Amino acid sequence: MPGALDGVRVLDLSRVLAGPYATMILGDLGADVIKIEAPGGSDDTRFWGPPFQNGMSAYYTAVNRNKRSMTVNLKSKEGRETIRRLAKTADVLIHNFKTGTMEQWELGYESLSRLNPRLIYCSITGFGETGPLAPLAGYDYIIQAMSGWMSINGTVDTGPLKVGVAVTDVFTGLYAAIAVEAALLAREKTGRGQKIDLALFDCAVSALVNVAANYLLSGDVPKPLGNEHPNIVPYSTYMASDGPIVIAVGNDRQFQALCSLLSDHSLGTDPRFQTNPGRVAHREELNRRLNEEIKRRTRAEWQRLLAEKGIPCGPVQTLDELFRHPQTAAREMTVTVHHPVIGPLTLVASPLKLSDTPVSYRLPPPLAGEHNDEASWMAKQTNSRKQR
């Protein structure tokens, strides 16, 4: 069954995480993605490890399936001409070179859109193409620091902490996929492509969501709360007798239902805890008393009891527990593809569940330049595109 983006060609000049994550999403949805690297392979994640398997890093495999690989020397006149030739028949081009680099090579939007007015051109940079920081490179760690993310993670004792995954890259990859798909829809109406200017910094600020809204409304600078929620209590990690469990009480009814399970009945009648604003104001005492209660039972016991009361909860799982969990299997959140060097390769599957145009797993993460020898492929694809 053809994917939702079947027939869309994407030139992927990006590397590391944000751009490759976006293009993998497009590839999963059926797009023909051509990954462009320098000869020998210039995506840094190819070399980020361990772990490696037969020379291929786990990091690289995470975001590069459903792509063909071509190696092109963009510093040469011939290499840049290859990109122009490909751009003439492409639908989308995504890159994450520093601001101004593509223009220096005469591969900027203005140049390529003259060759192909239908081209959707997505630039992903650390700080965008305007503003005083536009010339600077941006890495997730730096963006987490500058965007406020680190200031709200951790505790007063630990100091600022980054999130364990490069979340600003992930946010930007998701925003890039959304923007490209929106531009494809707009092109159906206008017949024209357009430029997309995406910054990791902007996407990280956008993803602050309610924490940013809290500050903009109140003027109060948020403090790190560890695993607690700035607006809701109790909404935290508690220690059961056999390990940590998250309990997320979203309203007053759920709080009273939780209290009905506790031996300390005074928690449910204490006037300080009757409403969420009161619980937020007295979070330290409430959470201390709740911890005394939660440690009396196992995580499984609490899961059963809380589920019966309709209270959201879940154990803090390690990755081995996650991938053994029957819910992970039921949702088909892993997929095994055949790789020409590794053999069977298990990857995290796409979370996108489309009934009529499902995602597909057509190509494993490619070796650098794996498709260079398909001499007739480019000409054949170019001719077929001209006939559309």
Side-chain angles (χ1 to χ4, degrees), residues 181 195 203 288 349 372:
E181 289 159 356
K195 183 176 182 180
C203 294
R288 177 182 59 78
N372 283 358

Side-chain angles (χ1 to χ4, degrees), residues 84-349:
R84 293 188 191 95
R85 187 163 63 250
L86 287 170
K88 287 180 181 179
T89 57
D91 296 288
V92 180
L93 183 148
I94 297 181
H95 79 85
N96 63 349
F97 289 103
K98 286 175 61 176
T99 297
T101 300
M102 291 288 277
E103 286 73 18
Q104 291 174 4
W105 289 336
E106 297 183 341
L107 297 175
Y109 174 68
E110 297 299 328
S111 298
L112 296 186
S113 65
R114 285 195 291 269
L115 299 176
N116 179 4
R118 292 174 56 82
L119 181 67
I120 294 160
Y121 186 104
C122 180
S123 164
I124 298 175
T125 57
F127 297 96
E129 299 192 358
T130 57
L133 301 183
L136 300 182
Y139 290 88
D140 170 84
Y141 202 171
I142 306 304
I143 302 300
Q144 285 200 42
M146 295 185 65
S147 66
W149 269 83
M150 286 180 63
S151 76
I152 61 172
N153 283 292
T155 66
V156 174
D157 293 332
T158 66
L161 292 177
K162 72 179 184 70
V163 180
V165 171
V167 289
T168 69
D169 279 315
V170 174
F171 298 150
T172 306
L174 292 169
Y175 276 119
I178 293 167
V180 165
E181 289 159 356
L184 287 168
L185 284 173
R187 193 179 69 177
E188 292 299 307
K189 303 173 186 176
T190 67
R192 300 189 307 275
Q194 59 183 296
K195 183 176 182 180
I196 300 165
D197 172 10
L198 273 180
L200 270 69
F201 182 78
D202 300 353
C203 294
V205 173
S206 174
L208 287 168
V209 199
N210 61 297
V211 175
N214 290 346
Y215 168 73
L216 294 172
L217 185 68
S218 69
D220 296 331
V221 178
K223 295 180 175 61
L225 294 173
N227 290 335
E228 296 185 29
H229 195 287
N231 303 103
I232 311 170
V233 176
Y235 201 103
S236 189
T237 304
Y238 303 91
M239 287 300 299
S241 63
D242 61 345
I245 185 171
V246 169
I247 300 175
V249 172
N251 54 52
D252 297 338
R253 181 197 62 77
Q254 289 180 353
F255 178 69
Q256 290 300 324
L258 170 64
C259 290
S260 71
L261 300 173
L262 308 178
S263 59
D264 184 353
H265 300 297
S266 66
L267 282 172
T269 58
D270 192 317
R272 295 173 300 172
F273 306 146
Q274 294 301 298
T275 66
N276 184 68
R279 295 193 293 273
V280 170
H282 300 92
R283 70 166 70 230
E284 290 186 9
E285 180 179 350
L286 176 57
N287 278 328
R288 177 182 59 78
R289 293 170 66 179
L290 280 176
N291 266 311
E292 290 298 315
E293 294 285 333
I294 302 303
K295 70 182 183 182
R296 301 176 191 274
R297 301 178 187 270
T298 66
R299 293 187 296 176
E301 288 177 297
W302 280 117
Q303 280 187 278
R304 177 179 59 80
L305 291 170
L306 293 169
E308 290 173 355
K309 296 288 186 178
I311 300 170
C313 69
V316 177
Q317 297 190 138
T318 54
L319 263 64
D320 58 328
E321 293 172 319
L322 164 69
F323 286 110
R324 287 199 304 265
H325 200 285
Q327 184 66 19
T328 307
R331 296 298 293 170
E332 299 180 337
M333 281 309 299
T334 60
V335 61
T336 300
V337 299
H338 180 77
H339 191 275
V341 172
I342 296 175
L345 173 64
T346 301
L347 304 170
V348 174

Side-chain angles (χ1 to χ4, degrees), residues 4-38:
L5 297 181
D6 181 57
V8 172
R9 175 179 295 164
V10 179
L11 298 185
D12 180 8
L13 278 71
S14 67
R15 63 256 187 244
V16 186
L17 183 50
Y21 191 56
T23 54
M24 182 181 72
I25 292 170
L26 301 176
D28 287 351
L29 290 169
D32 176 20
V33 180
I34 307 170
K35 183 177 179 69
I36 305 294
E37 296 180 78

Side-chain angles (χ1 to χ4, degrees), residues 53-74:
Q53 188 166 352
N54 292 348
M56 181 166 285
S57 76
Y59 202 126
Y60 173 79
T61 67
V63 290
N64 282 291
R65 65 169 172 254
N66 282 332
K67 302 176 186 181
R68 304 174 190 266
S69 174
M70 295 181 61
T71 52
V72 178
N73 181 5
L74 294 177

